[in-house]
Amino acid sequence: MTKRTSDDADAEHMQAALGLAGRVLGQVWPNPAVGCVLVRPDLGGRVVGRGWTQPGGRPHAETEALKRAGDFARGATAYISLEPCDHHGRTPPCSEALIAAGIRRCVAAVEDPDPRVSGKGLERLRAAGIDVRAGVLEREAARLNAGFFLRVKEGRPLFTLKVATTLDGRIATRAGESRWITGEGARLAAHRLRAEHDAVMIGIGTALADDPELTCRLPGCEWRSPVRIVLDSRLRLPAASKLATTARLVPTWVITTEPADERARGALAALGVEIIDVEAGKDGRPDLARVAEALGHRGLTRVLVEGGAALAGALVGRGLIDGLVWFRAPKLIGDGGVPAAAGLDIADLAQAPAFMRTSVRELGADVVETYGRSGN
Ligand code: AOF
Ligand code: ZN
């Protein structure tokens, strides 16, 4: 039998903290999703408190875990998937709360890139005599909050493109029919993906063709519906569309370029649609780098792009797609069908955007693969 080391125990508890954090992805923007587990080594490694970032980003994971542990927090080791904060926001910093609660040791997965924190949280703990270990499951933690890290470092959210295609990479038939290429398992997984993102974004072509709701309709998860975003340079989104008529229930943002039709603007705004003006690029459409910046500025960390082909191609072409979730059904549509990404026009293979597969899973007759940027 191999001996269980304290390193193993640290990794196990951190895994649990990451699990708690992962469950709230999509609910905590503009903040990161953080998990915290409080363990008492002197009580045989008993878990005395668990916490995670609350909807909207506050309260933070640590104060939640401390609240649950009460007096049992004294002498505990705190496993936190992100360095504790060290700034005075709406509440005092978590670093101070951990010190006041009598935590003896702190294991953190990764430093918080927020300039108000970045190293200062752990430094304060050390200065208070707490034994600090950093970097446990660091890569996993950085990957989990890749959206938050990007927002802080580059001012834009993480963009993940979701597509459902046939084996020959088509998202719709020649006649535009796309429901349902993939089966029930893929449909459920796609709704779950919505719940795990801050926002879902589509192009106006898809909005007009499908009149989608873009909500999360998994039983019990309806309240987790993301912000819905439509890229619509000429404000063609009909006031009678499902998106516009439900804008008071689920936040709906339309990104356009000035000067867009004032009447359409008024009609959509009256329904509660938020209209965001972004400067146009050379093609007269909102410049995508500026779109990314505007969304980051509003606090979004994770955006799921659900098509169509033109928007997918444009984002991939601009290097703005950070990950893919690719559902594939064992069907063929042929060359009349709509490709997954339009307008890329690659002649030289060396210029082809490339990704690296991070997982593959069977979903009934279909397959779902996830990809990250190649080289990451
Ligand atoms: C933690 N635990 O659970 C989260 C943290 O606006 P505030 O005051 O909520 O602060 C937001 C910052 O706090 C955010 O940018 C990030 O640095 C940190 N988020 N920190 O210790 C948590 N969500
Ligand atoms: Zn905090």
Side-chain angles (χ1 to χ4, degrees), residues 74-97:
R74 194 156 294 281
T77 299
Y79 292 90
I80 320 171
S81 64
L82 186 75
E83 172 185 15
C85 70
D86 194 47
H87 63 284
H88 286 265
R90 277 165 278 170
T91 54
C94 291
S95 54
E96 283 178 7

Side-chain angles (χ1 to χ4, degrees), residues 231 233-234 236 257 278-288 310 314:
L231 258 107
S233 4
R234 284 174 285 149
R236 287 188 292 154
T257 52
V278 171
E279 219 175 292
K282 280 195 231 73
D283 60 359
R285 299 202 168 105
D287 178 73
L288 291 174

